[in-house]
Amino acid sequence: MTEFDTTDAAKEVKRGKLSGIRHFLSSLQIRYKFLISFALIFFLSMLLCNLFIYVYVRNNIEDRIESELTNTTAMIYDMVNTSVNVAIKNHLRAVAEKNLDILNALYQRSLAGDISPEDARKRAVDVILSQTIGTSGYLYCLDSQGDVTVHPRGRLIGINVAEHEFVRQMMTKKQGYLEYEWKNPEEKERRAKALYMAHFEPWDWIIAASAYRSEFIRLVNVEDFRQSILSLKFGQSGYAFVFDKDGRAIIHPVLQDVNIFQTPELPNQYLRDMMQRKKGRAVYFWKNPGETRPRKKLVMFNYIPEYQWVVASSSYLDELYQPLTTIRNVFLGISLLFFSIMLAVTFGLSRTITTPLRQLMARFSTATAGDYSTRMEIRSADEVGQLAGYFNRFMEQLETTHLELKDEIRVRRMAEQARNESRVRYYLLMEAAPDPIVNYDMKGRVIYINPAFARVFGWSLEECKGGKMDHFVPEACWPETKVMIHQVRVGQGIFNVETRRLTKDGRVVDVSISGASALDARGKLTGSIIILRDITRSKNLEKQVMQAGDRERMNIGQELHDDLCPHLIGISGLAAVIREDLKSRQDPAAELARKMGVLMEDAVEKTRQLARGLCPVHLVSHGFQSALEEIADQFAYYSGVQFEFSMDEGIDILDDSCAIHLYHIAREAVNNAVKHSNCDRIIIAFNEDAADGLIHLTITDNGTGIDPDSSCRGIGLQIMAYRAKIIEAQFNIDTGSKGTTILVILSASARMKIDKKENVPV
C-alpha cells in the first residue's frame, strides 16, 4: 500500500467515525438530547464564568502585588541611595572642614608672626595636596573668580575654569554639598562625582573635597537599613534582598553574605539575568536552604549603578494565588449542586413532552396506512396541547385534500401532456428555423443552439453548451454588444441591430440581431433567446448599390464637367461676341447681351461646383490631403471661422471608393460645424498612428456640441456613420459643451502608404 492509499484509508476511517457520532446523536431520545444540551450549556456557562472570574482575580492580584513590589523596590532604592548620599556628604564635609581648620590655624600663626604669609600659604598647599579621598579623589582650591589656586595637577594653577557649570555654582554658593558629572581627559565617559566646599575668606580660597561616588561604597553602613529591608514581608514568605555585582548577598533573610555565583547548589542564571537587564520584572523557580522544593516567585528589581547593587522585592506565586484555589473549590461545589437540580428538572420536563409525542407518532403511523380519521386527545393548553390541536386540524384538512388531490392529479397529468406536446413543437420550430438561434441562461452560458447556428458559424451544440460565446464577438463590436446584453437583462427587447460576429474558422459575418428575455411560468427572468440573421449578402449588395451610385454620380459629374461646362462656356463666348457687335452699332440690346454673359458665367461656375460635388476629381489629380484643404476653401465665405490643418506627409488613399467616402464624411462634418455649432475654429487632422499603423481622420470644432438625445441627430450623421461602415472604418462622435470631435479610423486593408519618390507601395 502506498502512502496515498494509507492517507485515503485514514480519511475514510475518520469520516466513518464522524458519521457514526452523528447517527448516535440523531437517534437519542429527546430527554437525553435535553440532558446533553442543558449539561453542555451549563458546563460552558460555568466554565466561561469561572474563567472570567479566575482571570479577573488573578490579574488584579498580579497587578496589586507587582505594584506593591515595585513601590517597595523603589523605596529600598531610595533608602540605599539616601544612606550612601548621607555618608558621602558627611565624609566630604569632614575632610573640607578639617582642611578649613588647618588653613585657619596657619593663617593665625602668620598673623602672630610665627611664620610669614607666604610660608603659611606654602604649608597650606602642601597639606592640601598631600591628602587623597578614596582611590582617585583629591582636594583643590578656587578663588571667587574661578581661578585655580591649588590643584594636584600643577599646570592648572592660575587657569580660570568658570566655563563649567559646577564651578559657577561653587563661585555662587562657596559653602555646601554639590553633585555633578565629570570626565577626565584620559577617560571616555562622564562619571557621577560629588564635592563638599568650604570658603576660607582671608585668602578667598574655596576648598573643595571631591571624589567619584562609586568609590564611596565602603562608606555605606549596611546596618543602617538592613533591618528596615528585612522587615518587609510579602505574603507569608516573600522578602526583599540586595546583591552586589559579584553575586554576594548584601542583605538577604537566609543567604546573608553568601556568594550565589560561587555556590553550585544555588541557581545563579536568574541573578545574572537581573545584573544584565538592570531593571524590570522576573519570574523563576527558587528553593531557599531548608525548603523541600523550588517554588515559583515574582521579583521586581532595580539597579544602583554607582555601587553596582541590585535591589529587589519578591513574592511566591503560590501564596498569591491561594484565594483562587478557594474560589475554584466553591464554584466546583456550586456547579455540582446546580447540575443535580438541573438533571432532575430536565427529566421531569422531558417526560411531559415525550409521552404525547409517542402518542402522536402512533397516530401518524395509523394515518400513513391510509386512515385519515384518527385524532389526538387534547389534555392541556400548552404547546403540546396546541400541537395535538394542530394535528387534528391537519388530519381534517388532509382528509379533505386527499379527495381534491386525486382530481388535481388527473388535471395536471392532462396539462403536463399538453405542455410536453407544446415543448416538442417549440423545439421542432427552433430546429427548422433558417436563422441561427441561441438560448442563454442568466449567466450568459449557452443552453441551446439550433442547426442553423452550427451551419452559419461552425460551432456545434456539444462544443457550446454550458459555455460562453465571448469568442465569436469581434473586439470592436463589444461596446454595442454590452448595450444589447444590458437591454435584454432589464427586460427590454432588441430588434434588428446590425453588428458583426466571427465564425469558427475566423471569418467575419454581418448579422442582424433580435432578442428577448426568456421567462418561466411565474414570469421570472431565466435567460434570453437571441436570433442572428446573416445579412452578409445583403450588406454586400448594399455596398455594391452604393458603389454603383457613386460610379453613376461620378459619371454624371464627369459629363457635367466635360460636356455641359464647355458648352456653356461656348455660349458665354458667343454672348460676348454678340455684345461687342451690338455695342459697336450702339444698339441698346448690348446691355442685355452683357447680362446674358454674366448669367452664363454664373451657370458655368455652378455647374463646376455641382460636378466637383458629384465627382471630386481633385482626389485623383491632387491627392486626398489636397481635397481636404479644398473643403476649407469651399467654406471660406463664412466669416469668423478659422481652419487649422494637421496632416502627416506621405499618406494617401489609393482606393478611389474609400477616398470618396472619406471626402464626403469630412465635407459633411465641416458643413455641420460651420452651420450649426456656432464655432470659430475647426481643426482637420489626417494622421497615422505610430502604434497601430492606422489612419485617423479627425474633424474637431469648439462649438456648442451636439444634443446627446439620439432622436435629435439628423440624417447627415447617420449617413456619415453608414459611409464609415461601408469602408470598414470605425466612426466615433465625442461631443460636449466645449465642442465636437468626429473621428474616423481607417483599417489597414483600405489604404496603402506611398513612397512619393519611387511612387511604389512600401
Side-chain angles (χ1 to χ4, degrees):
M1 181 179 291
T2 65
E3 180 181 352
F4 295 104
D5 295 335
T6 305
T7 304
D8 293 339
K11 291 181 178 178
E12 289 295 330
V13 171
K14 185 176 181 180
R15 282 195 291 267
K17 290 181 178 179
L18 293 175
S19 177
I21 293 173
R22 286 195 294 268
H23 176 72
F24 171 75
L25 293 176
S26 62
S27 62
L28 284 175
Q29 296 183 10
I30 290 180
R31 66 177 64 186
Y32 295 115
K33 289 182 179 179
F34 272 130
L35 179 61
I36 293 175
S37 301
F38 288 160
L40 183 61
I41 294 173
F42 176 81
F43 174 75
L44 292 177
S45 300
M46 295 302 295
L47 178 63
L48 291 176
C49 181
N50 291 340
L51 182 61
F52 172 76
I53 294 175
Y54 180 84
V55 172
Y56 179 77
V57 173
R58 176 172 178 153
N59 289 340
N60 282 346
I61 291 175
E62 287 184 354
D63 292 343
R64 181 177 57 82
I65 193 63
E66 283 191 18
S67 177
E68 183 178 350
L69 293 177
T70 301
N71 293 336
T72 303
T73 302
M75 182 188 69
I76 297 172
Y77 180 90
D78 294 339
M79 185 186 302
V80 174
N81 260 338
T82 300
S83 178
V84 173
N85 287 339
V86 171
I88 293 173
K89 182 176 181 180
N90 291 339
H91 182 77
L92 295 177
R93 179 177 182 177
V95 173
E97 291 182 348
K98 176 184 176 183
N99 282 273
L100 180 62
D101 292 340
I102 293 174
L103 264 64
N104 189 46
L106 291 173
Y107 178 70
Q108 293 298 329
R109 290 183 63 188
S110 68
L111 292 179
D114 295 338
I115 57 176
S116 66
E118 292 76 10
D119 190 27
R121 287 175 181 263
K122 183 178 181 304
R123 291 186 182 187
V125 170
D126 293 339
V127 170
I128 291 173
L129 295 180
S130 65
Q131 302 176 56
T132 58
I133 304 173
T135 304
S136 59
Y138 53 86
L139 283 86
Y140 62 91
C141 297
L142 307 174
D143 60 17
S144 297
Q145 305 303 318
D147 294 331
V148 179
T149 57
V150 180
H151 199 281
R153 297 179 181 178
R155 66 177 181 275
L156 297 178
I157 303 300
I159 296 177
N160 188 283
V161 291
E163 72 272 10
H164 299 289
E165 175 63 26
F166 76 93
V167 173
R168 291 194 292 271
Q169 294 181 22
M170 292 175 63
M171 293 162 56
T172 302
K173 296 174 62 176
K174 297 183 180 180
Q175 183 78 25
Y177 181 73
L178 185 64
E179 292 183 357
Y180 60 98
E181 290 187 346
W182 179 258
K183 182 176 76 67
N184 289 321
E186 68 276 5
E187 295 177 341
K188 296 181 179 180
E189 295 181 358
R190 301 169 68 90
R191 290 190 293 165
K193 199 169 186 180
L195 65 83
Y196 193 92
M197 54 188 167
H199 186 218
F200 184 61
E201 292 184 6
W203 295 347
D204 190 22
W205 282 11
I206 302 174
I207 306 170
S210 67
Y212 289 102
R213 289 174 54 86
S214 58
E215 298 178 2
F216 279 85
I217 187 63
R218 58 185 181 81
L219 299 177
V220 178
N221 187 3
V222 178
E223 298 301 327
D224 292 343
F225 48 84
R226 182 192 303 277
Q227 292 304 320
S228 298
I229 294 177
L230 292 178
S231 63
L232 298 174
K233 296 295 182 183
F234 309 99
Q236 297 178 2
S237 55
Y239 53 88
F241 58 89
V242 180
F243 281 88
D244 64 11
K245 65 182 182 62
D246 298 322
R248 185 174 64 88
I250 305 299
I251 300 175
H252 196 282
V254 180
L255 303 176
Q256 184 65 43
D257 295 327
V258 174
N259 192 312
I260 295 179
F261 291 164
Q262 298 177 1
T263 307
E265 60 270 15
L266 294 177
N268 56 37
Q269 66 273 20
Y270 310 111
L271 184 58
R272 294 185 186 277
D273 178 65
M274 286 189 284
M275 285 289 184
Q276 183 177 3
R277 291 166 55 195
K278 310 297 185 185
K279 182 179 181 180
R281 175 182 184 274
V283 178
Y284 56 89
F285 286 91
W286 180 265
K287 183 174 76 68
N288 287 314
E291 295 180 346
T292 58
R293 61 181 179 82
R295 291 186 295 163
K296 197 173 185 180
K297 68 188 304 184
L298 171 66
V299 177
M300 305 300 295
F301 59 92
N302 204 340
Y303 183 72
I304 303 177
E306 292 89 345
Y307 323 118
Q308 298 181 340
W309 283 3
V310 171
V311 294
S313 301
S314 65
S315 180
Y316 289 96
L317 294 181
D318 56 353
E319 298 174 1
L320 299 179
Y321 299 145
Q322 183 62 36
L324 293 177
T325 305
T326 304
I327 293 174
R328 181 195 62 193
N329 296 334
V330 170
F331 272 107
L332 183 61
I334 294 174
S335 300
L336 291 175
L337 176 62
F338 275 98
F339 183 76
S340 302
I341 296 173
M342 184 194 67
L343 187 64
V345 172
T346 301
F347 270 103
L349 289 175
S350 62
R351 181 175 298 177
T352 61
I353 298 173
T354 55
T355 300
L357 287 179
R358 289 195 185 96
Q359 296 175 0
L360 186 62
M361 287 188 292
R363 299 297 190 279
F364 271 116
S365 179
T366 303
T368 55
D371 183 7
Y372 302 116
S373 62
T374 182
R375 300 291 184 270
M376 282 285 292
E377 181 181 358
I378 301 176
R379 297 181 178 180
S380 64
D382 58 6
E383 287 81 357
V384 176
Q386 294 176 14
L387 180 61
Y390 289 136
F391 173 78
N392 293 338
R393 288 194 292 274
F394 171 74
M395 293 306 298
E396 291 173 1
Q397 184 67 30
L398 186 62
E399 191 173 8
T400 303
T401 307
H402 178 64
L403 299 176
E404 297 175 352
L405 189 59
K406 288 183 178 180
D407 294 336
E408 187 177 347
I409 291 174
R410 179 177 57 81
V411 173
R412 288 200 175 188
R413 284 178 178 173
M414 295 174 61
E416 184 66 25
Q417 183 178 359
R419 190 180 296 110
N420 291 335
E421 293 176 356
S422 176
R423 187 180 294 111
V424 170
R425 288 194 297 271
Y426 168 76
Y427 278 106
L428 286 175
L429 179 63
M430 297 274 281
E431 293 285 326
D435 293 328
I437 300 175
V438 186
N439 188 5
Y440 295 103
D441 63 12
M442 287 301 297
K443 295 184 177 180
R445 295 173 298 197
V446 175
I447 300 175
Y448 169 79
I449 60 173
N450 67 343
F453 185 93
R455 184 173 61 255
V456 172
F457 294 102
W459 285 288
S460 64
L461 177 61
E462 291 75 16
E463 293 176 305
C464 300
K465 191 171 184 179
K468 294 187 176 182
M469 295 298 293
D470 297 345
H471 50 277
F472 94 129
V473 180
E475 187 66 28
C477 298
W478 265 114
E480 58 191 19
T481 301
K482 291 179 179 179
V483 173
M484 290 188 284
I485 293 173
H486 174 72
Q487 290 178 338
V488 172
R489 285 183 175 176
V490 299
Q492 300 176 2
I494 52 175
F495 306 99
N496 299 326
V497 178
E498 293 186 5
T499 183
R500 293 179 174 182
R501 292 294 182 264
L502 297 172
T503 63
K504 186 176 181 179
D505 56 7
R507 291 184 298 106
V508 178
V509 178
D510 291 303
V511 294
S512 174
I513 297 181
S514 299
S517 304
L519 307 176
D520 59 12
R522 294 175 294 179
K524 183 179 179 181
L525 188 64
T526 60
S528 60
I529 297 177
I530 306 298
I531 302 174
L532 303 96
R533 175 165 294 176
D534 185 359
I535 59 171
T536 303
R537 185 175 180 182
S538 62
K539 295 293 288 185
N540 290 334
L541 290 176
E542 287 181 6
K543 188 173 182 180
Q544 291 175 10
V545 170
M546 178 67 74
Q547 291 173 349
D550 289 339
R551 286 195 299 271
E552 191 63 28
R553 185 165 53 252
M554 291 181 65
N555 290 334
I556 294 173
Q558 191 73 29
E559 290 293 330
L560 290 174
H561 185 274
D562 296 341
D563 188 10
L564 182 58
C565 278
H567 187 71
L568 293 175
I569 291 172
I571 295 174
S572 177
L574 288 175
V577 172
I578 292 172
R579 182 178 66 82
E580 292 296 330
D581 183 55
L582 293 175
K583 184 177 180 182
S584 65
R585 291 183 293 176
Q586 296 182 350
D587 192 328
E591 180 63 20
L592 294 176
R594 185 188 66 79
K595 291 182 178 180
M596 286 180 59
V598 172
L599 292 175
M600 292 305 300
E601 289 177 358
D602 291 342
V604 170
E605 183 62 26
K606 290 181 179 179
T607 303
R608 286 177 175 174
Q609 291 181 1
L610 181 61
R612 186 180 291 109
L614 293 173
C615 176
V617 295
H618 45 280
L619 289 176
V620 178
S621 59
H622 299 292
F624 184 71
Q625 296 189 18
S626 177
L628 293 178
E629 295 175 355
E630 187 171 327
I631 291 175
D633 295 337
Q634 295 174 8
F635 290 91
Y637 61 87
Y638 281 91
S639 61
V641 179
Q642 180 183 357
F643 286 88
E644 298 180 11
F645 294 92
S646 173
M647 301 187 184
D648 292 344
E649 295 293 333
I651 303 176
D652 212 337
I653 308 298
L654 289 185
D655 189 330
D656 291 342
S657 176
C658 178
I660 290 172
H661 284 297
L662 285 177
Y663 172 80
H664 285 298
I665 291 173
R667 194 174 189 279
E668 181 65 24
V670 172
N671 180 68
N672 289 343
V674 169
K675 293 182 178 181
H676 306 297
S677 69
N678 297 322
C679 66
D680 58 12
R681 187 179 63 178
I682 298 176
I683 301 174
I684 301 175
F686 186 61
N687 310 105
E688 181 177 6
D689 192 333
D692 51 21
L694 301 181
I695 289 180
H696 292 196
L697 173 61
T698 309
I699 298 92
T700 304
D701 65 71
N702 62 346
T704 57
I706 302 175
D707 193 328
D709 185 2
S710 60
S711 63
C712 298
R713 298 189 179 184
I715 192 171
L717 292 176
Q718 300 180 25
I719 293 176
M720 292 162 65
Y722 185 75
R723 286 184 180 276
K725 187 175 292 187
I726 289 294
I727 60 176
E728 299 182 357
Q730 297 183 33
F731 181 78
N732 298 313
I733 300 177
D734 184 10
T735 184
S737 60
K738 296 183 178 180
T740 301
T741 298
I742 293 179
L743 172 64
V744 181
I745 302 177
L746 189 64
S747 62
S749 61
R751 60 92 183 171
M752 294 183 65
K753 190 173 183 180
I754 303 301
D755 187 337
K756 293 187 176 180
K757 293 183 180 180
E758 301 294 337
N759 199 27
V760 296
V762 295

PDB file of all heavy atoms in Angstrom, residues 624-629 644-651 684-688 697:
ATOM      1  N   PHE A 624      -5.615  63.099 -51.648  1.00  0.00           N
ATOM      2  CA  PHE A 624      -6.680  63.241 -50.651  1.00  0.00           C
ATOM      3  C   PHE A 624      -6.435  64.442 -49.719  1.00  0.00           C
ATOM      4  O   PHE A 624      -7.373  65.152 -49.343  1.00  0.00           O
ATOM      5  CB  PHE A 624      -6.786  61.955 -49.827  1.00  0.00           C
ATOM      6  CG  PHE A 624      -7.904  61.972 -48.836  1.00  0.00           C
ATOM      7  CD1 PHE A 624      -9.228  61.894 -49.244  1.00  0.00           C
ATOM      8  CD2 PHE A 624      -7.648  62.092 -47.478  1.00  0.00           C
ATOM      9  CE1 PHE A 624     -10.260  61.919 -48.342  1.00  0.00           C
ATOM     10  CE2 PHE A 624      -8.683  62.125 -46.562  1.00  0.00           C
ATOM     11  CZ  PHE A 624      -9.994  62.036 -47.002  1.00  0.00           C
ATOM     12  N   GLN A 625      -5.172  64.693 -49.354  1.00  0.00           N
ATOM     13  CA  GLN A 625      -4.893  65.815 -48.462  1.00  0.00           C
ATOM     14  C   GLN A 625      -5.249  67.143 -49.118  1.00  0.00           C
ATOM     15  O   GLN A 625      -5.793  68.044 -48.475  1.00  0.00           O
ATOM     16  CB  GLN A 625      -3.423  65.807 -48.058  1.00  0.00           C
ATOM     17  CG  GLN A 625      -3.019  64.579 -47.240  1.00  0.00           C
ATOM     18  CD  GLN A 625      -1.621  64.713 -46.669  1.00  0.00           C
ATOM     19  OE1 GLN A 625      -1.094  65.799 -46.589  1.00  0.00           O
ATOM     20  NE2 GLN A 625      -1.035  63.595 -46.271  1.00  0.00           N
ATOM     21  N   SER A 626      -4.995  67.243 -50.417  1.00  0.00           N
ATOM     22  CA  SER A 626      -5.360  68.463 -51.130  1.00  0.00           C
ATOM     23  C   SER A 626      -6.871  68.636 -51.165  1.00  0.00           C
ATOM     24  O   SER A 626      -7.389  69.749 -51.067  1.00  0.00           O
ATOM     25  CB  SER A 626      -4.797  68.421 -52.549  1.00  0.00           C
ATOM     26  OG  SER A 626      -5.197  69.557 -53.281  1.00  0.00           O
ATOM     27  N   ALA A 627      -7.604  67.495 -51.249  1.00  0.00           N
ATOM     28  CA  ALA A 627      -9.063  67.564 -51.256  1.00  0.00           C
ATOM     29  C   ALA A 627      -9.584  68.088 -49.923  1.00  0.00           C
ATOM     30  O   ALA A 627     -10.558  68.843 -49.878  1.00  0.00           O
ATOM     31  CB  ALA A 627      -9.645  66.188 -51.554  1.00  0.00           C
ATOM     32  N   LEU A 628      -8.937  67.668 -48.818  1.00  0.00           N
ATOM     33  CA  LEU A 628      -9.357  68.164 -47.511  1.00  0.00           C
ATOM     34  C   LEU A 628      -9.141  69.678 -47.402  1.00  0.00           C
ATOM     35  O   LEU A 628      -9.970  70.403 -46.841  1.00  0.00           O
ATOM     36  CB  LEU A 628      -8.594  67.445 -46.395  1.00  0.00           C
ATOM     37  CG  LEU A 628      -8.881  65.952 -46.222  1.00  0.00           C
ATOM     38  CD1 LEU A 628      -8.014  65.385 -45.110  1.00  0.00           C
ATOM     39  CD2 LEU A 628     -10.353  65.713 -45.898  1.00  0.00           C
ATOM     40  N   GLU A 629      -8.016  70.155 -47.949  1.00  0.00           N
ATOM     41  CA  GLU A 629      -7.750  71.597 -47.910  1.00  0.00           C
ATOM     42  C   GLU A 629      -8.763  72.362 -48.769  1.00  0.00           C
ATOM     43  O   GLU A 629      -9.173  73.469 -48.443  1.00  0.00           O
ATOM     44  CB  GLU A 629      -6.331  71.874 -48.386  1.00  0.00           C
ATOM     45  CG  GLU A 629      -5.260  71.295 -47.464  1.00  0.00           C
ATOM     46  CD  GLU A 629      -3.866  71.492 -48.020  1.00  0.00           C
ATOM     47  OE1 GLU A 629      -3.748  72.001 -49.157  1.00  0.00           O
ATOM     48  OE2 GLU A 629      -2.895  71.129 -47.331  1.00  0.00           O
ATOM     49  N   GLU A 644      -7.709  75.028 -39.272  1.00  0.00           N
ATOM     50  CA  GLU A 644      -6.342  74.586 -38.996  1.00  0.00           C
ATOM     51  C   GLU A 644      -6.181  73.163 -39.521  1.00  0.00           C
ATOM     52  O   GLU A 644      -7.131  72.369 -39.488  1.00  0.00           O
ATOM     53  CB  GLU A 644      -6.050  74.630 -37.491  1.00  0.00           C
ATOM     54  CG  GLU A 644      -6.139  76.007 -36.892  1.00  0.00           C
ATOM     55  CD  GLU A 644      -5.846  75.987 -35.392  1.00  0.00           C
ATOM     56  OE1 GLU A 644      -5.390  74.933 -34.910  1.00  0.00           O
ATOM     57  OE2 GLU A 644      -6.092  77.012 -34.726  1.00  0.00           O
ATOM     58  N   PHE A 645      -4.959  72.861 -40.004  1.00  0.00           N
ATOM     59  CA  PHE A 645      -4.698  71.542 -40.576  1.00  0.00           C
ATOM     60  C   PHE A 645      -3.536  70.880 -39.840  1.00  0.00           C
ATOM     61  O   PHE A 645      -2.576  71.544 -39.451  1.00  0.00           O
ATOM     62  CB  PHE A 645      -4.367  71.657 -42.074  1.00  0.00           C
ATOM     63  CG  PHE A 645      -5.519  72.149 -42.912  1.00  0.00           C
ATOM     64  CD1 PHE A 645      -5.675  73.496 -43.159  1.00  0.00           C
ATOM     65  CD2 PHE A 645      -6.450  71.265 -43.428  1.00  0.00           C
ATOM     66  CE1 PHE A 645      -6.732  73.957 -43.914  1.00  0.00           C
ATOM     67  CE2 PHE A 645      -7.510  71.718 -44.183  1.00  0.00           C
ATOM     68  CZ  PHE A 645      -7.664  73.067 -44.433  1.00  0.00           C
ATOM     69  N   SER A 646      -3.652  69.543 -39.654  1.00  0.00           N
ATOM     70  CA  SER A 646      -2.562  68.748 -39.081  1.00  0.00           C
ATOM     71  C   SER A 646      -2.498  67.456 -39.872  1.00  0.00           C
ATOM     72  O   SER A 646      -3.324  66.554 -39.688  1.00  0.00           O
ATOM     73  CB  SER A 646      -2.826  68.459 -37.596  1.00  0.00           C
ATOM     74  OG  SER A 646      -1.865  67.563 -37.097  1.00  0.00           O
ATOM     75  N   MET A 647      -1.554  67.367 -40.804  1.00  0.00           N
ATOM     76  CA  MET A 647      -1.512  66.238 -41.725  1.00  0.00           C
ATOM     77  C   MET A 647      -0.101  65.688 -41.815  1.00  0.00           C
ATOM     78  O   MET A 647       0.862  66.459 -41.907  1.00  0.00           O
ATOM     79  CB  MET A 647      -2.002  66.667 -43.115  1.00  0.00           C
ATOM     80  CG  MET A 647      -3.433  67.209 -43.113  1.00  0.00           C
ATOM     81  SD  MET A 647      -4.067  67.531 -44.750  1.00  0.00           S
ATOM     82  CE  MET A 647      -5.665  68.239 -44.344  1.00  0.00           C
ATOM     83  N   ASP A 648       0.040  64.376 -41.780  1.00  0.00           N
ATOM     84  CA  ASP A 648       1.334  63.715 -41.936  1.00  0.00           C
ATOM     85  C   ASP A 648       1.677  63.598 -43.414  1.00  0.00           C
ATOM     86  O   ASP A 648       0.806  63.277 -44.259  1.00  0.00           O
ATOM     87  CB  ASP A 648       1.302  62.316 -41.307  1.00  0.00           C
ATOM     88  CG  ASP A 648       1.171  62.391 -39.798  1.00  0.00           C
ATOM     89  OD1 ASP A 648       1.407  63.482 -39.254  1.00  0.00           O
ATOM     90  OD2 ASP A 648       0.828  61.361 -39.172  1.00  0.00           O
ATOM     91  N   GLU A 649       2.936  63.823 -43.733  1.00  0.00           N
ATOM     92  CA  GLU A 649       3.394  63.695 -45.113  1.00  0.00           C
ATOM     93  C   GLU A 649       3.494  62.215 -45.499  1.00  0.00           C
ATOM     94  O   GLU A 649       3.771  61.353 -44.682  1.00  0.00           O
ATOM     95  CB  GLU A 649       4.763  64.368 -45.271  1.00  0.00           C
ATOM     96  CG  GLU A 649       4.737  65.878 -45.064  1.00  0.00           C
ATOM     97  CD  GLU A 649       3.960  66.576 -46.161  1.00  0.00           C
ATOM     98  OE1 GLU A 649       3.900  66.039 -47.281  1.00  0.00           O
ATOM     99  OE2 GLU A 649       3.417  67.664 -45.897  1.00  0.00           O
ATOM    100  N   GLY A 650       3.290  61.963 -46.786  1.00  0.00           N
ATOM    101  CA  GLY A 650       3.499  60.608 -47.284  1.00  0.00           C
ATOM    102  C   GLY A 650       2.342  59.661 -47.061  1.00  0.00           C
ATOM    103  O   GLY A 650       2.504  58.453 -47.200  1.00  0.00           O
ATOM    104  N   ILE A 651       1.153  60.172 -46.710  1.00  0.00           N
ATOM    105  CA  ILE A 651      -0.010  59.299 -46.501  1.00  0.00           C
ATOM    106  C   ILE A 651      -1.057  59.650 -47.553  1.00  0.00           C
ATOM    107  O   ILE A 651      -1.373  60.830 -47.750  1.00  0.00           O
ATOM    108  CB  ILE A 651      -0.611  59.482 -45.107  1.00  0.00           C
ATOM    109  CG1 ILE A 651       0.442  59.219 -44.050  1.00  0.00           C
ATOM    110  CG2 ILE A 651      -1.795  58.557 -44.910  1.00  0.00           C
ATOM    111  CD1 ILE A 651      -0.046  59.472 -42.658  1.00  0.00           C
ATOM    112  N   ILE A 684      -8.824  70.202 -38.893  1.00  0.00           N
ATOM    113  CA  ILE A 684      -8.897  68.990 -39.718  1.00  0.00           C
ATOM    114  C   ILE A 684      -7.550  68.294 -39.610  1.00  0.00           C
ATOM    115  O   ILE A 684      -6.507  68.873 -39.949  1.00  0.00           O
ATOM    116  CB  ILE A 684      -9.213  69.329 -41.185  1.00  0.00           C
ATOM    117  CG1 ILE A 684     -10.551  70.077 -41.282  1.00  0.00           C
ATOM    118  CG2 ILE A 684      -9.255  68.060 -42.023  1.00  0.00           C
ATOM    119  CD1 ILE A 684     -10.880  70.546 -42.682  1.00  0.00           C
ATOM    120  N   ALA A 685      -7.572  67.053 -39.090  1.00  0.00           N
ATOM    121  CA  ALA A 685      -6.328  66.292 -38.883  1.00  0.00           C
ATOM    122  C   ALA A 685      -6.398  65.002 -39.674  1.00  0.00           C
ATOM    123  O   ALA A 685      -7.423  64.306 -39.661  1.00  0.00           O
ATOM    124  CB  ALA A 685      -6.123  66.005 -37.404  1.00  0.00           C
ATOM    125  N   PHE A 686      -5.302  64.698 -40.363  1.00  0.00           N
ATOM    126  CA  PHE A 686      -5.189  63.465 -41.150  1.00  0.00           C
ATOM    127  C   PHE A 686      -3.830  62.876 -40.817  1.00  0.00           C
ATOM    128  O   PHE A 686      -2.803  63.283 -41.365  1.00  0.00           O
ATOM    129  CB  PHE A 686      -5.331  63.789 -42.642  1.00  0.00           C
ATOM    130  CG  PHE A 686      -5.372  62.570 -43.519  1.00  0.00           C
ATOM    131  CD1 PHE A 686      -6.374  61.624 -43.377  1.00  0.00           C
ATOM    132  CD2 PHE A 686      -4.413  62.368 -44.500  1.00  0.00           C
ATOM    133  CE1 PHE A 686      -6.404  60.504 -44.195  1.00  0.00           C
ATOM    134  CE2 PHE A 686      -4.445  61.255 -45.310  1.00  0.00           C
ATOM    135  CZ  PHE A 686      -5.440  60.315 -45.164  1.00  0.00           C
ATOM    136  N   ASN A 687      -3.813  61.909 -39.866  1.00  0.00           N
ATOM    137  CA  ASN A 687      -2.542  61.423 -39.322  1.00  0.00           C
ATOM    138  C   ASN A 687      -2.524  59.904 -39.294  1.00  0.00           C
ATOM    139  O   ASN A 687      -3.562  59.236 -39.337  1.00  0.00           O
ATOM    140  CB  ASN A 687      -2.328  61.946 -37.895  1.00  0.00           C
ATOM    141  CG  ASN A 687      -2.522  63.436 -37.792  1.00  0.00           C
ATOM    142  OD1 ASN A 687      -3.530  63.879 -37.276  1.00  0.00           O
ATOM    143  ND2 ASN A 687      -1.582  64.221 -38.298  1.00  0.00           N
ATOM    144  N   GLU A 688      -1.310  59.376 -39.137  1.00  0.00           N
ATOM    145  CA  GLU A 688      -1.114  57.934 -38.979  1.00  0.00           C
ATOM    146  C   GLU A 688      -0.655  57.651 -37.553  1.00  0.00           C
ATOM    147  O   GLU A 688       0.283  58.287 -37.065  1.00  0.00           O
ATOM    148  CB  GLU A 688      -0.077  57.411 -39.968  1.00  0.00           C
ATOM    149  CG  GLU A 688       0.130  55.902 -39.855  1.00  0.00           C
ATOM    150  CD  GLU A 688       1.103  55.361 -40.885  1.00  0.00           C
ATOM    151  OE1 GLU A 688       1.710  56.177 -41.616  1.00  0.00           O
ATOM    152  OE2 GLU A 688       1.266  54.142 -40.966  1.00  0.00           O
ATOM    153  N   LEU A 697      -8.728  60.167 -39.319  1.00  0.00           N
ATOM    154  CA  LEU A 697      -9.270  61.414 -39.865  1.00  0.00           C
ATOM    155  C   LEU A 697     -10.118  62.050 -38.765  1.00  0.00           C
ATOM    156  O   LEU A 697     -11.107  61.454 -38.317  1.00  0.00           O
ATOM    157  CB  LEU A 697     -10.116  61.141 -41.106  1.00  0.00           C
ATOM    158  CG  LEU A 697     -10.882  62.356 -41.674  1.00  0.00           C
ATOM    159  CD1 LEU A 697      -9.908  63.446 -42.101  1.00  0.00           C
ATOM    160  CD2 LEU A 697     -11.776  61.943 -42.837  1.00  0.00           C
TER     161      LEU A 697
END
